[in-house]
Amino acid sequence: MPLKIVTLRIRPLMVAGMLAAGGFGWSSFAALADQITPQTKLRVTVIQWMPTKGTYERWDALGGEFEISQSGEVVLPVIGPVPVGNLDSTALAAEIAKRLQEKLVLVDKPDTTVEILDYPPVYLLGAVKAPGEYKYRSGMTVLQALALGGGRPKAEGEQSQKEIELVSEIQMMDADIIRSMAKIARLTAESEGATEIRFPIVPASDEVAKQIFAREKVIFTSRASELDRQTKSLADLRGLLKAEIDVLTEKIKAADASIASAETELANVTTLVEKGIATASRKSELERSLAGYRTDRLDQVTAVMRARQAITEATRSADGLLDRQKTEVATALQDEQAKLATLRLKREASQKILLETLAARSGEAKGDLSFVITRRQDGKPVEISALETTALQPGDVVTVASASLPVSDRPVAAVDNKTKTTVASEASQ
């Protein structure tokens, strides 16, 4: 979701403490980096070493993309529901591998990986310019969530030109990052020979991302079709050349038979000429016919050699076509990955500058902001007082209060499916 224009009322000493801590309290974020909560989307991959083939095989029927249920379970094929509890992705993968080994009676555990695709969103309520649902990022703090929500509602014209430029720059980089990720997904699919592209997960309302993905699908289909056409054309050429060789081989056999017959007849006529029974002209005529048969056979043998050479060239062209395509895709993929890393670094730097700019304006604040996080613990919503540096967890509901909207007056929020609907409704009002 694009970052909206923001102005925050924050305390200078608090901001200085965040900057001095290095990355806004990163050490506290690391503990939550692999948090698996209900509605977290996972990708499970199962592969097994096949000694008889000497290769790894991926068991697609046992893996795929799944979502953690509200009861904290992930339901997988064959083994059924697996409680997540306090397991991280590594421990969960080990548990799945153990259950698959027991269920399938395997000698060794299959190699299993669990990748976190997307976290449940966080929600903003209260004294914030744009309350609603926002995508959770690992290590997100209350301050960063507030920045995504546009900060406190402000008067017309209060936003500074520098902040507007920074926000605009961040929005453009967000779009560029989506484009780069989509291109990487397409190039990865091409390099793996896949039939479809596995795009990154984005909010269903992100129309820009949908348009970017649609364009990459068109490029993917066009490139695949062009490669198929060229490969099929070379395959058809090889087929025609092989058919031509078969025809020429039959002609050579017929020529061999004609040569053998002519040689026998010439030997008989030569004997008759020596005895004076046949004329010399008859012998000359047979010698000319035999020479013609031999010349035709030589032409046919030459044609067979040329056809075989053409088959070799067509095969070489087909192999070269695939090799060039792999080289081009690998080079483009490497360049795009470097570009994506650069974009992310630039976006992080711009966002940091924006936060520092907002912190510099804290002297204009008319009152401090206060925050309360509603978090689901042991199946029940619990309210937690928070600061700007407090690390968020997926699914948290952050209520922002100011002098004009005390915490006690905020709407009550609970983290479940029913309440999320209520939150979205309140955010749109």
Side-chain angles (χ1 to χ4, degrees):
M1 182 172 294
L3 184 65
K4 297 180 173 60
I5 298 173
V6 297
T7 297
L8 306 182
R9 304 297 193 264
I10 49 183
R11 294 182 290 276
L13 291 178
M14 180 65 69
V15 174
M18 290 186 292
L19 297 176
F24 301 102
W26 176 254
S27 60
S28 64
F29 299 158
L32 301 175
D34 200 18
Q35 182 78 21
I36 301 179
T37 60
Q39 294 188 329
T40 300
K41 295 180 180 179
L42 308 174
R43 178 184 292 129
V44 179
T45 304
V46 182
I47 61 175
Q48 178 74 354
W49 172 254
M50 308 300 291
T52 57
K53 299 180 181 179
T55 59
Y56 281 98
E57 287 190 358
R58 188 167 71 178
W59 294 352
D60 291 332
L62 300 180
E65 296 182 3
F66 306 92
E67 183 174 313
I68 304 299
S69 67
Q70 287 296 324
S71 59
E73 296 178 331
V74 55
V75 182
L76 301 175
V78 178
I79 60 177
V82 178
V84 175
N86 295 325
L87 300 178
D88 60 11
S89 58
T90 302
L92 179 58
E95 177 66 19
I96 293 172
K98 175 184 175 183
R99 295 193 178 207
L100 285 174
Q101 182 186 25
E102 295 173 351
K103 185 70 174 182
L104 302 178
V105 195
L106 300 175
V107 176
D108 299 318
K109 293 180 181 179
D111 292 326
T112 306
T113 58
V114 173
E115 177 186 0
I116 297 179
L117 298 178
D118 201 14
Y119 293 100
V122 295
Y123 302 86
L124 284 176
L125 293 175
V128 61
K129 184 176 181 181
E133 172 184 315
Y134 292 91
K135 181 179 177 63
Y136 174 82
R137 293 185 178 88
S138 181
M140 178 181 284
T141 63
V142 170
L143 179 60
Q144 291 170 337
L146 188 59
L148 291 175
R152 149 202 321 272
K154 50 185 92 51
E156 185 71 22
E158 187 178 342
Q159 190 71 34
S160 72
Q161 182 63 32
K162 182 177 180 181
E163 292 170 16
I164 294 174
E165 292 174 355
L166 285 170
V167 171
S168 177
E169 181 180 341
I170 291 173
Q171 289 175 341
M172 288 188 292
M173 282 190 286
D174 283 340
D176 289 339
I177 287 173
I178 289 294
R179 290 189 187 93
S180 185
M181 293 174 65
K183 186 174 181 180
I184 288 174
R186 189 252 299 169
L187 291 171
T188 301
E190 290 183 3
S191 66
E192 295 176 351
T195 56
E196 61 181 16
I197 307 174
R198 183 179 294 174
F199 289 114
I201 298 175
V202 297
S205 59
D206 195 337
E207 295 298 330
V208 174
K210 290 180 180 178
Q211 293 175 6
I212 293 172
F213 294 166
R215 286 194 292 268
E216 290 296 334
K217 285 181 180 179
V218 171
I219 295 173
F220 177 76
T221 303
S222 300
R223 286 171 59 88
S225 298
E226 178 63 21
L227 183 62
D228 288 342
R229 282 196 297 270
Q230 295 182 20
T231 304
K232 185 177 183 300
S233 177
L234 291 171
D236 292 342
L237 177 59
R238 289 198 298 267
L240 290 173
L241 291 170
K242 289 179 181 179
E244 182 180 354
I245 290 174
D246 293 340
V247 172
L248 289 171
T249 301
E250 293 299 322
K251 287 185 177 181
I252 290 173
K253 291 179 181 179
D256 288 339
S258 298
I259 290 172
S261 178
E263 287 176 343
T264 301
E265 186 176 358
L266 179 60
N268 293 334
V269 169
T270 300
T271 301
L272 293 176
V273 169
E274 291 174 351
K275 293 180 179 181
I277 299 175
T279 63
S281 61
R282 174 59 179 161
K283 178 181 177 182
S284 299
E285 181 181 349
L286 288 173
E287 288 175 343
R288 286 192 297 272
S289 297
L290 180 59
Y293 292 147
R294 288 173 176 168
T295 300
D296 291 342
R297 187 186 185 282
L298 182 60
D299 291 341
Q300 291 160 2
V301 171
T302 302
V304 169
M305 294 175 63
R306 289 174 178 170
R308 287 175 178 168
Q309 183 180 5
I311 289 176
T312 302
E313 292 177 355
T315 302
R316 189 185 304 112
S317 297
D319 294 340
L321 184 67
L322 295 175
D323 290 342
R324 284 194 301 274
Q325 191 260 356
K326 289 180 181 179
T327 301
E328 291 174 359
V329 169
T331 302
L333 182 58
Q334 186 177 20
D335 292 343
E336 199 61 35
Q337 287 172 338
K339 177 183 175 181
L340 178 59
T342 302
L343 282 171
R344 283 174 170 165
L345 287 174
K346 288 182 178 179
R347 188 195 186 283
E348 183 178 351
S350 296
Q351 186 170 7
K352 183 177 180 180
I353 293 172
L354 177 60
L355 292 174
E356 291 174 350
T357 302
L358 296 173
R361 300 182 56 209
S362 61
E364 302 174 6
K366 297 179 181 179
D368 292 336
L369 293 177
S370 60
F371 310 96
V372 173
I373 297 175
T374 304
R375 180 175 297 164
R376 198 167 189 81
Q377 295 181 353
D378 299 327
K380 298 180 179 179
V382 177
E383 292 187 347
I384 304 169
S385 297
L387 302 174
E388 292 95 330
T389 55
T390 301
L392 296 177
Q393 293 185 15
D396 281 353
V397 179
V398 181
T399 303
V400 184
S402 65
S404 59
L405 182 60
V407 175
S408 59
D409 295 336
R410 71 184 182 282
V412 177
V415 188
D416 54 29
N417 287 334
K418 181 178 179 181
T419 306
K420 287 177 182 177
T421 304
T422 305
V423 169
S425 175
E426 293 171 346
S428 64
Q429 294 178 357

